[in-house]
Amino acid sequence: MSMISDSARSDIENWVDKYPAEEKQSAVMAALRIVQDENSGSLTTELMNEVATLLEMPEIAVYEVATFYSMYELKLVGRHKICVCTNISCMLNNSKAVVDKLEDKLGVKLGETTADGEFTLKEVECLGACVNAPVVQVGENYYEHLNPAINPDKIDQLLAELRGES
Amino acid sequence: MANQVCFRNNHLENSWSLSAYQSNGGYEVLKKILSEKLTPEELIEDIKLSNLRGRGGAGFPTGLKWSFMPRTVDGQKYIVCNSDEGEPGTCKDRDILRYNPHQLIEGMIIAGYCIDASVGYNYIRGEFWEPYARFEAALEEARAAGLLGDNILGSGFNFQLHSHLGAGAYVCGEETALLNSIEGKKGQPRFKPPFPAGFGLYGRPTTINNTESLASIPVILAKGGQWFLEQGLPSAGGEKLFSVSGHVNRPGNYEVPMGMPFSELLEMAGGVRDGHQLKAVIPGGSSTPVVPGEQMMDVNMDYDSIASAGSMLGAGSVIVMDETTCMPRVLTRLAYFYYEESCGQCTPCREGTGWLSRVTQRIEDGVGVAADIELLDSVAGNIEGTTICALGDAAAMPVRSFLKHYRDEFQYHIDHKKCMVESDW
């Protein structure tokens, strides 16, 4: 039985249509993102194999892509994945304090998931929003200017907003 | 003057909409080209005259790059936009996608016309969901208005344009890695030659340009290559976007003339954060060599002037550091970044970036040994020039330059097992 929903399939088909007919593999990155989103934020071997079948490509070629790019998760993650940039411009603007505060509030370290499965804290490389540092990304959104020394409430507001969503 | 090219519409309400773009002359150049059947040759000549140099970091003249395309050869050709903005310090293309997406679309259609490509892809980094959504909405508007797709404005010219979303890999900003990524593969760079103009996407002739380069095209052709050239310097035309980040009062993206003194740009960004002094500047993104602040105050923001200070303009990503900055700590973070992002294809980079990261980390942690400084220099030297793509050099250059200018701080860390400077971050 397929683990990929009809709506995800049609979404993937839309991506396939962007590329030449004989180049279905070009849609693999989009397909992995779509099925990952539908599976609470992570991929399984079964899902990757289904993507391979759908796009008529070898399973190993799907695994190669899934393990190469940092936004794919091969282990379970929390409902909200908080991606904290600690690269240079964020670092200069106190991303360490952002990490410390998030670790403190959530009771987990970078790379860990809260016991209730709500939050994963992940250190990421430059998010390309350096003039608004420090920055975190959660799902489709960026949250900017988070230095607690300048905006003491922003991280609390972010967590409250995310908790409200779940 | 400022904000005359890629940011020229940012003051408009809903600047990303088709109506806002058209209220300020948007798509008029495309209409003129198609209705008057201007030739690709004359358009490329005008772009050459403008001396627009590639805004992604390499600074290669855009008009010359377009002239390499085998336009008259039969078969599919492609234009690809590189919006995989990921060089630490760089965040200008994000704002073009968010605030002026139609100008990029018009630039890509014109590029397609000039190089005889009927299909284009815009590779947007996966984290940029909001910019992607803006760009997609703009594509829909352009298609609905007959400005994009088959038989554009009844001219008989066809051009299809699509987004491709990345999924987190700095190396995909390298043009051939980017092509592999669009093909649904690991983003590992290819050997060059063959160059993309001969063997690019799906093995077909392809031109790859940066977002800012392509978004500059409609303005260059509207106002003329000579006008654009005169905004900058003979060696590099135009205004350019500079992302000023780090220890400044007003970090931001500033579109100013090429060749503006660094001191003026720093002033636009509100100066060094209050109560602090300038220590060092990375002028072109994390890969470019660091320049001591004093020296930087005499430099202008153009290729030649920054080169004379031993660094590079890169993508115009200016990272400002004040006196609270521990240089070993900064280099440790950058070395870790390149280690994280090395694609693993070339041994000197795969292994060397690991060494650079581990050795800088142990110096930072106060467990470095006397030989570590020479070791860093030697590892960096063994990466330089030995890899398929520029990521290896990008990892080595910060190491070389930090050691050149701030060796005493590294030595202090090793001798005293702590930092020379007090930091509040």
Side-chain angles (χ1 to χ4, degrees), chain B residues 399-416:
Chain B
V399 173
R400 295 282 209 177
S401 62
F402 273 68
L403 292 180
K404 179 178 166 196
H405 295 296
Y406 302 101
R407 185 175 286 256
D408 57 330
E409 286 193 41
F410 288 84
Q411 193 63 54
Y412 190 93
H413 260 260
I414 290 168
D415 295 343
H416 301 270

Side-chain angles (χ1 to χ4, degrees), chain A residues 18-19 26 69 86 89 126, chain B residues 121 125 164 182 185 202 245:
Chain A
K18 295 181 175 197
Y19 308 102
S26 283
Y69 298 93
T86 58
S89 300
C126 182
Chain B
Y121 292 100
R125 63 176 294 178
H164 182 97
I182 297 181
K185 300 168 185 162
Y202 309 122
S245 70

Side-chain angles (χ1 to χ4, degrees), chain B residues 348 380-389 392-393 396:
Chain B
N382 281 310
I383 300 174
E384 279 171 349
T386 61
T387 56
I388 290 174
C389 85
D393 291 344

